[in-house]
Amino acid sequence: MLAFSLNHAPTTVLTNGMLINDRMADRLTAIERSARYSLEIRLSLDGYTEEMNDAIRGQDVFRSALEAVRRLSRRGLLPLVTIVRTWSDDQELDTLTAFSATLRDAGYARPRIKLLPALPLGRELERRAGIDTSSLVNEEMLEGFDRELLMCSNSRVVTGHGVWVCPLLVEKPDALLGTTLADARPSFKLGHNACVTCYHYGTICGNVSSLIEGPAE
């Protein structure tokens, strides 16, 4: 599937890294080197210590994620480590420094980090009391707004259970658009709290290069 996708467009893989063993890393490297378009591997990490990360992600995820980072970086794939911002502004520099140190210690010499906003979804609603769940995107907010910044304006998510409007809303009943891409062509009303986050922060899930990259020669 990945090799097929990379023959048609820049492709991003979102993963927790737990299944990336040496064999998988070798295969990803071979696919990337023969691809027509660029491959981006995003690997999630939500804490710079095992205790911090696994409290959110689950037991042993931290060690597996760092092993995946090490395997990929050694092969030149340079994963983009995505981190959800869960700290205050005054902790920003110290926190990012700690994340960078953890990744370097794992063997990633020049780590690439992408910060993501906390989304008002799932267990995040339980962890963070007081999240505003009343704000929704309205027509006034969209007036003069570049809608191409929203992933749902130009992309869909294809899964074994159907086609969804975006990665954030998978499993939301109204976000299931059908079983084929043809079913997914109609517009979608931005009626979820997560839509507000995308409105403020742009294509947090999308591969930006897919909007600008042409085919390789």
Side-chain angles (χ1 to χ4, degrees):
M1 289 175 63
L2 185 56
F4 176 83
S5 176
L6 283 166
N7 196 43
H8 295 276
T11 302
T12 299
V13 173
L14 309 180
T15 178
N16 59 17
M18 296 192 71
L19 298 181
I20 301 180
N21 54 23
D22 284 323
R23 179 174 174 272
M24 175 71 75
D26 287 340
R27 180 66 176 134
L28 289 171
T29 302
I31 290 173
E32 189 271 339
R33 288 177 179 171
S34 63
R36 185 182 185 191
Y37 290 90
S38 64
L39 169 65
E40 179 177 270
I41 299 177
R42 293 192 188 181
L43 200 147
S44 301
L45 200 65
D46 284 322
Y48 53 80
T49 68
E50 185 172 3
E51 293 75 20
M52 292 169 62
N53 184 81
D54 290 1
I56 298 173
R57 289 275 169 178
Q59 186 176 356
D60 296 329
V61 173
F62 182 77
R63 295 181 186 180
S64 297
L66 291 186
E67 278 295 305
V69 166
R70 180 183 61 80
R71 291 186 175 105
L72 294 173
S73 61
R74 282 185 175 180
R75 291 164 172 81
L77 291 182
L78 305 180
L80 185 62
V81 180
T82 58
I83 304 166
V84 174
R85 182 183 273 111
T86 57
W87 54 86
S88 60
D89 291 342
D90 62 313
Q91 297 173 309
E92 182 96 343
L93 181 58
D94 289 343
T95 302
L96 293 181
T97 299
F99 270 109
S100 294
T102 293
L103 293 170
R104 287 192 176 93
D105 289 344
Y108 197 172
R110 300 180 64 184
R112 301 170 64 225
I113 293 175
K114 179 182 178 68
L115 296 182
L116 300 178
L119 292 158
L121 293 168
R123 285 185 292 176
E124 188 64 19
L125 294 173
E126 301 172 9
R127 284 193 292 267
R128 297 178 59 203
I131 292 180
D132 181 11
T133 57
S134 62
S135 298
L136 296 175
V137 176
N138 56 50
E139 287 300 322
E140 183 180 354
M141 293 166 66
L142 292 172
E143 186 174 349
F145 178 77
D146 183 2
R147 301 186 187 213
E148 285 297 310
L149 293 174
L150 301 175
M151 184 177 177
C152 59
S153 71
N154 49 59
S155 306
R156 292 292 183 262
V157 177
V158 180
T159 76
H161 300 288
V163 182
W164 306 76
V165 68
C166 85
L168 301 179
L169 300 181
V170 168
E171 297 183 358
K172 296 290 184 182
D174 67 323
L176 177 60
L177 302 176
T179 58
T180 69
L181 286 173
D183 297 331
R185 293 175 65 91
S187 59
F188 178 79
K189 181 176 176 57
L190 304 179
H192 290 268
N193 301 124
C195 301
V196 182
T197 304
C198 285
Y199 170 82
H200 286 299
Y201 293 95
T203 53
I204 59 177
C205 298
N207 184 335
V208 177
S209 64
S210 66
L211 302 177
I212 61 176
E213 182 175 322
E217 296 297 332

